[in-house]
Amino acid sequence: MSLYKNSSFLVLLVLSYIYALVSGGEVNVSATELADTMKQASSFSPAAAVVVKPGEDSLFSLNLLSSSLEYPEISVYCSELLKIFGQRYSAYVNCLATFARPVQVCQMCFSNYSILTDIYVNISSEQMGAGNESCRDSLLRSDRLMLVYLLYSNVKDIWIKSDCDKCITKGFQSLTNDTLYFLNAHTQTITCFNKYKQGNQTELCKDCKTSYRGLNELYSRMETNETMCIDIEDAMNMTRILWSKKYNCSFPREETVPVIAVSSFMLFLPIIFYLSSFLHSEQKKRKLIHPKRAKSYSSLMNIQNKLS
């Protein structure tokens, strides 16, 4: 389509040149003059001088349009901040994808999230940076989409939903002590599983029972104290699946006996209550009737004495 337009434009130029010569009295037109006219037309028209492939005319037109527009310039300082933000954002997202299964996004990606947060704070801060300028308006508020803000909000939402703050110390320095202790206990349990997984699973259930029970108790305490993140939750879920479904292991819980005892007591409590109430009421009747009988007997004896 673009080639057709360029050819039509050249034909119009040649016809206009011939018409001018004819109207001026010069009818004989040489091939050399026509060639010169074609060259002048090519040099005059940028579209004719550039070879445009089919399907690229729209992109070429957009490039010409964008080059003719004058946008407000972004300072070198703000451009550098935007570049660093893009690099750190890409590194963090790549880390999330790498450690998505099994879930280890908190323990493996917290350093990437830390430096990404730092650069975003520099961008969004109202304080003047290098060159006494702030990039908040030019990078965050210059368009309706606010792409930089939207990108950071998405990864921040992932961080919050993962509860990574519960596994990482303040300032993103390292993992918390509870998290390190759990990961160590989890490693010991998995090592025990791997030791017996090719052999007798009965031995696995017997020898790994202590480590697995300890891991369960530790997880329960962390769940109560709300000190666990998605990494710990996923690790415990996978360990329980291995223990119960893959290796068919189980162990009786110690709290089963107290639960049965309390349930039995509650079951027989109404029977005990009604039985005690019945016995108490019978005893009370006896106490009430006995004095009455004694009084009537003494009255009868008095009457007999009087008659005699």
Side-chain angles (χ1 to χ4, degrees):
M1 183 66 182
S2 177
L3 181 61
Y4 175 77
K5 291 181 178 179
N6 294 332
S7 301
S8 301
F9 181 73
L10 292 175
V11 171
L12 290 175
L13 285 179
V14 173
L15 292 177
S16 300
Y17 181 75
I18 295 174
Y19 177 78
L21 293 177
V22 172
S23 60
E26 299 179 14
V27 180
N28 296 325
V29 180
S30 62
T32 304
E33 291 176 341
L34 287 176
D36 294 336
T37 303
M38 295 287 290
K39 291 180 181 180
Q40 291 177 4
S42 299
S43 62
F44 175 77
S45 176
V50 179
V51 178
V52 181
K53 297 180 181 180
E56 295 183 354
D57 52 347
S58 59
L59 179 61
F60 180 73
S61 302
L62 290 176
N63 290 334
L64 290 178
L65 180 61
S66 61
S67 62
S68 62
L69 296 177
E70 294 183 0
Y71 291 102
E73 292 185 0
I74 300 177
S75 64
V76 177
Y77 171 70
C78 294
S79 298
E80 187 64 23
L81 287 182
L82 187 60
K83 180 181 178 181
I84 296 174
F85 175 83
Q87 294 172 348
R88 295 182 180 181
Y89 184 90
S90 176
Y92 179 61
V93 172
N94 182 65
C95 184
L96 292 179
T98 303
F99 297 99
R101 292 304 309 160
V103 181
Q104 296 177 338
V105 294
C106 296
Q107 54 184 307
M108 302 304 297
C109 303
F110 74 91
S111 58
N112 296 94
Y113 182 77
S114 175
I115 59 176
L116 176 63
T117 301
D118 291 339
I119 193 64
Y120 182 79
V121 169
N122 291 336
I123 292 175
S124 60
S125 177
E126 294 182 350
Q127 298 180 356
M128 297 299 177
N132 294 326
E133 58 180 331
S134 174
C135 302
R136 182 175 183 178
D137 293 334
S138 60
L139 297 182
L140 297 182
R141 300 179 177 179
S142 59
D143 57 87
R144 179 181 62 83
L145 184 59
M146 297 188 296
L147 186 58
V148 175
Y149 169 79
L150 185 61
L151 291 173
Y152 180 75
S153 298
N154 289 335
V155 296
K156 184 179 180 180
D157 187 53
I158 295 174
W159 179 268
I160 294 174
K161 288 182 178 180
S162 302
D163 290 324
C164 290
D165 284 333
K166 297 179 181 179
C167 291
I168 311 298
T169 59
K170 292 183 178 180
F172 305 100
Q173 297 297 322
S174 62
L175 298 174
T176 61
N177 293 332
D178 290 342
T179 303
L180 291 173
Y181 189 68
F182 176 87
L183 293 177
N184 183 49
H186 179 262
T187 301
Q188 293 179 1
T189 303
I190 297 300
T191 301
C192 186
F193 287 177
N194 294 334
K195 182 179 179 181
Y196 294 98
K197 67 179 182 179
Q198 299 296 338
N200 190 355
Q201 293 185 358
T202 304
E203 294 295 327
L204 184 149
C205 299
K206 180 180 178 181
D207 294 342
C208 301
K209 178 180 178 180
T210 302
S211 60
Y212 178 75
R213 185 192 298 273
L215 186 67
N216 261 300
E217 293 175 352
L218 178 59
Y219 178 81
S220 298
R221 289 196 299 269
M222 296 183 69
E223 187 176 18
T224 302
N225 298 331
E226 297 183 353
T227 57
M228 65 178 187
C229 57
I230 187 63
D231 294 17
I232 295 176
E233 182 180 347
D234 183 74
M236 193 68 236
N237 289 338
M238 294 299 102
T239 306
R240 286 174 174 174
I241 291 175
L242 290 175
W243 174 264
S244 60
K245 294 186 178 181
K246 184 175 181 179
Y247 302 127
N248 296 319
C249 299
S250 62
F251 57 88
R253 297 185 177 181
E254 295 180 355
E255 63 270 15
T256 303
V257 176
V259 168
I260 294 176
V262 172
S263 301
S264 301
F265 175 76
M266 295 298 294
L267 179 63
F268 288 100
L269 186 61
I271 300 175
I272 297 173
F273 173 76
Y274 285 112
L275 183 60
S276 62
S277 300
F278 175 76
L279 295 176
H280 181 70
S281 62
E282 288 295 326
Q283 186 178 4
K284 200 168 185 181
K285 286 180 181 180
R286 290 176 183 177
K287 289 182 179 180
L288 291 174
I289 293 173
H290 182 69
K292 186 176 180 181
R293 288 180 178 178
K295 184 177 179 180
S296 60
Y297 177 76
S298 59
S299 301
L300 180 61
M301 292 299 294
N302 291 332
I303 295 172
Q304 288 180 354
N305 291 333
K306 289 180 179 180
L307 291 176
S308 60

